[in-house]
Amino acid sequence: MTSMEALGSKQQAVEFEIMGVPNGYNEEEILKQIDEIHVTAGEEFDAESLFILVENIVKHAAPIVGSFVPMACKGPGVVNAHETTLAILGMLSSYSWDARAVMTLAAFALDYGEFWLLMQIGASDQLAKSMSILKGLPVLAGNSGLQKRQQALAELNNLIKVTLEVIKCIFELEKLPNYGRENVPALLKALNHIRLDTYWLIRTVIGCSAQMTGITSDEDQEVDLSSLTYNLYHILNNLKIQLNVCKQQIEETETEAYQILMNLFQIRPKIMEVFKALCYGKSNVQQLIDGSNEVYFDVLKHRYVLLFISGPDISDNDVSTLKLLRKELGNRGKVVWVPIVVQSKTTINIERKFRSLGTEVPLYIVQQFLPIPGIKFIREEWHFTNKPIVVVINPKVRVEHNILLEKIRGINSFSCFRKRRIDLLVCELCSCVCQCYLCVHIPKK
């Protein structure tokens, strides 16, 4: 049994239903069938690392393909491409869409690479020739069949290359910062289309598998891949257009947030206006997380607000510093964690990490576990370089300090709090002096 057979695809196929959409179906009906497949998306899988291996196999196999002509593999059969595609999607339903496409391609690449490797060394290596016979692979053919199958092989290789390009575009699309539907509407539309793109990628791999069987058959049967090639080029071009539109909207969102924040700090804004521009942009503002509860931004009014800005992974030393800072701050202010998330696909684990610290340290958490529009402002104006920082905003909503968390040694690391402490000491001293003066100079009765 080959790897593709293990995924439910029979490689004996040469009769192959391959048109743009299955007979009697349109894209909406295909999507309906895809969505009916149970999807848990619970298993995290490093699809990109596997993709690199697959790409290397294809790249190294490509020159070999043009040098040899294979013979019969196994007897011809029939494959229903649509049903097989749905079966594979169902079998891999616990993985992300991109992972399903890459894993299917990997199964094909394993057989594809092994086949051409044996073809390359089989002529001079008796072991390879014996392995080919045991695995049911063809004996090397002479040059007589080379011209005959060269075009089919070239078309197959071209389609595999386009498949790789489509998957690369999907990876790039998924890495774009997702600032929400209101800020980057094109991204949500593109991401929603990935499930249909994945369907066609898997269906294309099945077509490539069928073509491999066809061109290695004694009966000299080949599959017409032209409609699949046309369809995949169409998907690739659409993805490239979507990528450009998304990048433009992302840049506009970041620039707008940057400018709004610059303007806000020139006037006397409400603290909620700062958080909206910083973390939400045009999206609706969510309440702050306070342990297991949610509270409005009113709790921050007329107080010092210490913005703790970091990703989900912080050290035990950082936690200790936050606890000390929160204790010494007392009722003078509040600490608010602004989560910095790089990836657009927020996992439950990431959100859980943020919430977990919120129960360990008495602080508020901004309820936004996706990339934030104000990241450009945070990086350029507050010099955030992925190391945790604390930004102090005073009761008049002015920025007084921004400092690396690792450099903080308690509340006195901020001059604004040192000044207040000195003022209190001076007041207490003056009061004490006044009392002493009165005691000395008031005549006794």
Side-chain angles (χ1 to χ4, degrees):
M1 179 178 288
T2 66
S3 300
M4 284 301 292
E5 286 173 325
L7 283 173
S9 173
K10 299 181 187 292
Q11 283 196 339
Q12 296 97 323
V14 284
E15 294 180 39
F16 188 72
E17 172 240 322
I18 205 168
M19 296 307 293
V21 293
N23 292 333
Y25 292 96
N26 55 36
E27 279 199 352
E28 289 184 3
E29 290 172 328
I30 294 175
L31 279 173
K32 184 180 179 181
Q33 288 187 307
I34 293 172
D35 292 338
E36 285 174 354
I37 298 172
H38 179 62
V39 179
T40 61
E43 295 192 45
E44 293 187 22
F45 183 79
D46 188 359
E48 287 195 69
S49 294
L50 179 60
F51 177 78
I52 292 171
L53 292 174
V54 171
E55 190 176 29
N56 285 337
I57 290 172
V58 172
K59 284 181 177 179
H60 285 88
I64 306 171
V65 176
S67 305
F68 295 90
V69 181
M71 290 179 63
C73 273
K74 297 180 181 178
V78 180
V79 157
N80 183 316
H82 175 64
E83 295 299 329
T84 305
T85 302
L86 292 180
I88 292 173
L89 285 171
M91 189 178 298
L92 302 174
S93 61
S94 61
Y95 297 93
S96 63
W97 294 106
D98 56 3
R100 295 184 220 188
V102 174
M103 291 171 81
T104 306
L105 183 60
F108 168 74
L110 187 63
D111 293 327
Y112 180 80
E114 181 185 54
F115 180 87
W116 291 114
L117 179 62
L118 290 173
M119 290 300 98
Q120 182 185 36
I121 65 178
S124 57
D125 190 292
Q126 187 59 44
L127 175 59
K129 188 177 293 186
S130 299
M131 286 179 63
S132 298
I133 295 171
L134 286 173
K135 293 179 70 68
L137 298 178
V139 181
L140 284 176
N143 290 330
S144 57
L146 181 59
Q147 295 298 326
K148 198 176 185 180
R149 291 180 171 92
Q150 218 167 20
Q151 184 176 351
L153 288 169
E155 290 173 356
L156 174 64
N157 287 332
N158 180 59
L159 186 54
I160 294 172
K161 288 176 182 177
V162 179
T163 302
L164 295 173
E165 289 301 311
V166 170
I167 294 175
K168 283 181 181 178
C169 282
I170 290 176
F171 282 153
E172 186 176 357
L173 193 65
E174 290 178 332
K175 287 179 180 178
L176 294 178
N178 185 358
Y179 296 140
R181 181 201 305 268
E182 294 80 4
N183 298 300
V184 191
L187 182 57
L188 182 64
K189 181 180 177 182
L191 291 174
N192 282 339
H193 205 269
I194 285 178
R195 64 194 198 281
L196 187 60
D197 295 340
T198 300
Y199 168 89
W200 285 113
L201 282 167
I202 293 176
R203 194 161 164 182
T204 298
V205 173
I206 296 170
C208 292
S209 178
Q211 179 69 312
M212 276 294 294
T213 301
I215 61 180
T216 59
S217 171
D218 278 334
E219 296 166 8
D220 198 23
Q221 294 178 334
E222 296 173 4
V223 175
D224 182 7
L225 297 177
S226 59
S227 60
L228 272 181
T229 303
Y230 174 83
N231 190 47
L232 216 59
Y233 266 118
H234 179 69
I235 291 173
L236 179 60
N237 289 333
N238 278 345
L239 281 170
K240 288 180 177 180
I241 292 171
Q242 289 170 336
L243 275 168
N244 288 333
V245 173
C246 289
K247 287 176 181 178
Q248 182 179 351
Q249 291 181 356
I250 287 167
E251 184 178 357
E252 291 171 356
T253 297
E254 291 176 349
T255 302
E256 183 179 4
Y258 183 92
Q259 195 57 54
I260 289 174
L261 287 164
M262 290 293 288
N263 293 338
L264 282 174
F265 286 120
Q266 299 302 316
I267 58 176
R268 190 168 178 176
K270 296 178 180 178
I271 190 66
M272 192 183 76
E273 291 176 324
V274 173
F275 278 99
K276 178 171 174 57
L278 193 69
C279 303
Y280 297 100
K282 296 175 183 175
S283 300
N284 293 329
V285 176
Q286 304 295 313
Q287 290 180 307
L288 291 169
I289 297 172
D290 181 15
S292 59
N293 302 314
E294 294 182 1
V295 295
Y296 291 101
F297 280 87
D298 292 346
V299 298
L300 306 179
K301 279 184 177 180
H302 313 304
R303 291 176 178 271
Y304 275 91
V305 177
L306 275 61
L307 301 182
F308 170 52
I309 302 173
S310 83
D313 298 314
I314 62 173
S315 67
D316 292 338
N317 287 338
D318 292 338
V319 173
S320 298
T321 302
L322 282 174
K323 286 181 177 179
L324 176 63
L325 196 58
R326 183 66 191 88
K327 180 181 178 181
E328 294 182 348
L329 184 63
N331 295 324
R332 288 178 285 177
K334 300 291 185 181
V335 179
V336 181
W337 193 358
V338 179
I340 300 299
V341 180
V342 177
Q343 62 188 53
S344 293
K345 294 189 294 184
T346 300
T347 64
I348 296 175
N349 289 336
I350 288 179
E351 184 172 342
R352 195 173 291 157
K353 282 182 180 180
F354 284 112
R355 289 182 178 271
S356 175
L357 183 65
T359 60
E360 191 175 348
V361 181
L363 48 70
Y364 299 115
I365 305 175
V366 175
Q367 197 168 177
Q368 176 61 291
F369 303 109
L370 290 170
I372 59 174
I375 189 63
K376 178 180 179 182
F377 181 90
I378 290 173
R379 292 191 185 282
E380 294 187 10
E381 298 300 320
W382 293 341
H383 314 296
F384 178 71
T385 58
N386 299 326
K387 289 184 176 181
I389 64 170
V390 173
V391 176
V392 179
I393 298 179
N394 67 23
K396 295 181 180 180
V397 195
R398 294 282 190 274
V399 176
E400 293 207 9
H401 300 282
N402 66 284
I403 184 172
L404 284 171
L405 184 68
E406 64 185 25
K407 292 185 177 180
I408 294 176
R409 300 293 181 268
I411 200 69
N412 289 330
S413 297
F414 305 100
S415 60
C416 59
F417 294 111
R418 287 202 305 271
K419 181 177 182 298
R420 289 194 65 191
R421 189 182 178 196
I422 291 171
D423 290 344
L424 288 171
L425 288 172
V426 169
C427 288
E428 289 176 3
L429 183 61
C430 289
S431 176
C432 182
V433 168
C434 288
Q435 288 179 2
C436 292
Y437 178 84
L438 291 172
C439 290
V440 171
H441 293 279
I442 293 176
K444 295 180 180 179
K445 294 180 179 180

